[in-house]
Amino acid sequence: MTNLGALDLDAMDYDPEEDDTEPSPHGRFLRGAARPGSASVRAWHGVIPAQHLTPLKADAMLLKEKAPGETFWIDAESTPRCSLEQLALAVLRFHAGSEVSADSPPVRGAEFWIQVRGSDGSPTIALHWDSDELHKRASGEHLPPWLATVTYLGSSGAPTVVLPAVADAHGRAVRAGACCAHLSHPVPGKHLAFDGRLLHGALHDMQAPSAAPYVRISLLVNVWLGHRPAEAATLPPQLAASLSNAAVAHFGQAVQAVPVAPEASAEPDAAGWRSLKVGFVPRRSLCDATPGWRTLGLGFPFFHPPLRVRGFPP
């Protein structure tokens, strides 16, 4: 997927006076500004050396036990106290250090959290947009991060799917870019980064069939410019002290995975492309009341034509 460029998502009717909280002064930038780079989705292999994978997995399991479902924050200029904060700052400095333009809002920091999904529980992470959820509930305004990333600690579980759909100020879906998506299978130490505006998830139906039980562990880091998500708190000192503490990310030694350009795969079934159906068929009563339902844009309810999905090379 090529770079989306600038998007005028606020041309639609957004009236902050309808809401209880003031909109963010950086909302238009985060929703509409072009992200640097030639592609909206990229991946690197070997970011986490093998010797750090086991301690990070133990950290993730401890966070799942002590702080389930919580997201955390570290300021751009903070000193990291544990491996997870080391990783979050390494991600921020690698991407924001060379890719943020001088006229952009300042780099505030990194939001980070863990995902642990087992074959015996809920292996799928539903399609969603990353956002400041507390701000959205209070004001109705959707605020996406500047950049979203996934770093895998193992090779099991659902692949990450990134789709060419963004959300406007109200959180309503808008198609963006080419009609193709990217599929990233877990590989130990692999780092996936994509435009923080894009719709994404981890879909169990897209992974290779396996009868063996597994646990999928990933570390998520979002880079924010100008804005700090309201619910992301710093790690409590006692919890930070209980985690490993090492410089775990080595971007200088990583190898970037460069996807084949969409134009190189003209045939639907060629070169690893797959068809992915997104959305659902509305109820018959809605179809009858809306004869043109097949041409409706993304939203709720919505119908989206099948997307062509291509995976990054292993």
Side-chain angles (χ1 to χ4, degrees), residues 11-26:
M12 302 179 184
D13 54 335
Y14 177 63
D15 182 3
E17 294 184 0
E18 295 178 355
D19 303 308
D20 297 329
T21 303
E22 286 294 318
S24 167
H26 304 294

Side-chain angles (χ1 to χ4, degrees), residues 180 262 264-276 306-310:
C180 64
S265 301
E267 298 298 324
D269 297 325
W273 287 84
R274 297 177 61 183
S275 178
L276 172 65
L307 290 162
R308 293 176 64 201
V309 181
R310 200 191 62 72

Side-chain angles (χ1 to χ4, degrees), residues 54-138:
T54 297
L56 282 173
K57 289 178 181 178
D59 290 345
M61 297 306 292
L62 184 61
L63 273 190
K64 181 187 178 186
E65 176 188 350
K66 301 294 185 181
E70 292 190 30
T71 62
F72 300 98
W73 177 264
I74 185 165
D75 287 322
E77 304 303 325
S78 293
T79 299
R81 301 164 297 164
C82 62
S83 297
L84 292 178
E85 291 186 340
Q86 297 259 17
L87 173 67
L89 282 182
V91 169
L92 180 148
R93 290 165 182 167
F94 175 71
H95 292 289
S98 60
E99 298 183 352
V100 176
S101 61
D103 58 349
S104 298
V107 178
R108 286 294 307 273
E111 176 190 20
F112 64 97
W113 68 102
I114 56 99
Q115 282 282 3
V116 179
R117 298 285 174 143
S119 54
D120 58 349
S122 301
T124 283
I125 300 172
L127 293 172
H128 64 282
W129 287 285
D130 287 352
S131 182
D132 183 340
E133 298 293 344
L134 185 60
H135 180 82
K136 179 67 168 66
R137 291 194 296 270

